[in-house]
Amino acid sequence: MKAIAVIPARLASTRLPRKMLREIDGVPLIGHVYRAVRSSPLLEDVIVATDSDEILQVCHKNRWNARMTSPDHRSGTERVHEISNSVHAEVYINVQGDEPMIRPEHIASLRGLMENLAVQVGTLATPASSADVTNIQANKVVVDLAGRALYFSHATIPFDRDGANPRYLKHLGIYGYRKSALDRFVGLPESSLERIERLEQLRFLENGVDIHVAVTPYDSIGIDTEDDLRQFEQSLRSQ
């Protein structure tokens, strides 16, 4: 099964300006992500998909495979779709450009999920820490008994009304798509829940497309704030 990874990377970001090019230990964030994804032996290729000439030039300078994509895309999934129109694969793995702690084990778990030809869209989750349960920056997911996502939210879901102490799952910023799923996504309008939560994967759920979830013991940190940057830097130095 030919699988390639696509890393959507745009320079405009609201909470942490120009974060793709922010340097941690002398390497821009996009470089840390590219190297982390490239460490997986299960990928045919890794491509940075950007709308920024500045990011493109940094990638070329460092020999990180990158392609320019349209500035009109509203989501990372749309950017992955553009790559899928010119690069053939059975599975396209979307790793968000602010996830530098992606591990080969994450890629292996997701690729294993996509071995099932019935799975059109897959993603990963990990047991949520007590801090992440109430952290609105940490996306949560609830799944059914077959491992399909019921809902994604910044809110604490499920709501523990009677103190049952449920298992909370933190959603990780990595997806697997088949080409047909990407084609379906870009052909659909932005959904109401997607607009409310600002979570693009809800477009699939609102339109009846199952998202299968594999649970991994390995957490990851998305870089959205200065604190996230410092936490990642500390983790690098501790290693």
Side-chain angles (χ1 to χ4, degrees):
M1 183 177 71
K2 180 180 179 181
I4 69 168
V6 181
I7 306 172
R10 62 190 185 94
L11 198 56
S13 54
T14 53
R15 283 183 288 178
L16 189 60
R18 296 174 56 84
K19 67 179 177 180
M20 289 295 101
L21 296 181
R22 291 288 296 272
E23 290 194 354
I24 306 101
D25 279 2
V27 178
L29 176 58
I30 187 61
H32 285 285
V33 178
Y34 185 88
R35 291 174 177 180
V37 178
R38 184 74 273 183
S39 69
S40 169
L42 301 177
L43 297 170
E44 294 284 336
D45 203 356
V46 179
I47 302 170
V48 174
T50 185
D51 61 357
S52 163
D53 185 67
E54 194 172 350
I55 290 177
L56 186 72
Q57 294 307 317
V58 168
C59 288
H60 286 174
K61 178 181 177 181
N62 290 278
R63 298 184 179 179
W64 304 326
N65 188 13
R67 295 190 179 204
M68 186 67 79
T69 51
S70 170
D72 298 328
H73 295 317
R74 296 169 298 171
S75 69
T77 308
E78 291 181 1
R79 214 167 292 283
V80 175
H81 176 259
E82 181 177 340
I83 296 296
S84 76
N85 286 333
S86 59
V87 181
H88 170 73
E90 277 75 48
V91 171
Y92 299 88
I93 293 180
N94 176 0
V95 180
Q96 295 181 24
D98 58 4
E99 291 276 351
M101 296 188 70
I102 290 294
R103 305 164 55 118
E105 292 90 344
H106 290 131
I107 303 292
S109 293
L110 186 55
R111 195 178 185 280
L113 186 65
M114 301 302 293
E115 291 282 355
N116 181 348
L117 297 180
V119 176
Q120 292 294 303
V121 184
T123 193
L124 297 184
T126 193
S129 67
S130 56
D132 282 334
V133 169
T134 56
N135 179 8
I136 63 171
Q137 304 302 333
N139 296 331
K140 271 72 70 176
V141 58
V142 289
V143 300
D144 67 12
L145 296 178
R148 294 169 300 197
L150 293 171
Y151 194 63
F152 298 86
S153 182
H154 294 283
T156 300
I157 54 173
F159 174 67
D160 189 11
R161 191 187 71 169
D162 297 322
N165 193 27
R167 179 182 72 159
Y168 290 99
L169 292 175
K170 173 187 172 183
H171 178 229
L172 303 182
I174 180 171
Y175 301 88
Y177 303 111
R178 300 198 189 280
K179 179 71 165 78
S180 56
L182 290 168
D183 291 342
R184 178 84 186 277
F185 182 88
V186 299
L188 294 168
E190 182 183 48
S191 70
S192 59
L193 291 175
E194 175 189 8
R195 188 179 309 111
I196 291 168
E197 292 261 15
R198 303 314 307 166
L199 295 174
E200 62 195 73
Q201 64 268 36
L202 292 174
R203 188 185 309 184
F204 282 118
L205 295 188
E206 281 200 86
N207 286 279
V209 178
D210 288 336
I211 300 178
H212 294 252
V213 181
V215 178
T216 173
Y218 302 105
D219 197 0
S220 179
I221 298 174
I223 307 298
D224 289 314
T225 65
E226 293 287 349
D227 285 342
D228 294 334
L229 272 177
R230 284 191 290 270
Q231 184 178 353
F232 174 57
E233 188 172 26
Q234 289 171 1
S235 72
L236 284 179
R237 291 175 178 174
S238 67
Q239 291 171 15

